[in-house]
Amino acid sequence: MSTASLLVGHGGHATTLRALSHDLPVLVVPLHPMLDQKVIGRAVAATGAARVLPTKAGPQAIRAAVRALLADDAAQAAAATCGARIRAQDGAAEAVMEIEAVLAARG
């Protein structure tokens, strides 16, 4: 992803976060209505780093959204902000602390 300018994806957690960790804005086109893809797309869109299109978006809508995201300096900046926050976290260490806290609370 180091040579990409943006990600077009279905809103899967891993790929979306990987793109953001590389400061890339994201165009989300969810594939499945019952999975978390729409929620992830909306959450990232709320930061300004993504746009979400409907599952049935056609080529013209996707092309227009890609062009708009590439030209959107605010989306680029929002993606960079998200990326900095992701890179500043040690997700594995934080997960261990959360699991330990849950286990400690259960005795």
Side-chain angles (χ1 to χ4, degrees), residues 2-106:
S2 61
T3 60
S5 298
L6 65 85
L7 170 79
V8 178
H10 69 284
H13 184 264
T15 305
T16 301
L17 285 181
R18 180 167 291 183
L20 291 171
S21 74
H22 284 85
D23 301 342
L24 299 177
V26 181
L27 174 59
V28 177
V29 185
L31 293 179
H32 196 287
M34 300 304 288
L35 299 177
D36 61 354
Q37 298 163 356
K38 285 184 180 181
V39 173
I40 290 170
R42 284 193 303 262
V44 179
T47 72
R51 295 188 184 195
V52 181
L53 290 179
T55 301
K56 296 185 188 255
Q60 292 84 2
I62 294 170
R63 182 183 310 113
V66 165
R67 287 181 175 160
L69 270 172
L70 288 172
D72 187 346
D73 292 337
Q76 299 286 333
T81 298
C82 289
R85 290 179 62 199
I86 291 166
R87 290 186 303 275
Q89 305 272 329
D90 182 350
E94 289 188 30
V96 167
M97 289 188 295
E98 290 294 323
I99 291 168
E100 288 175 341
V102 168
L103 294 174
R106 291 186 178 179

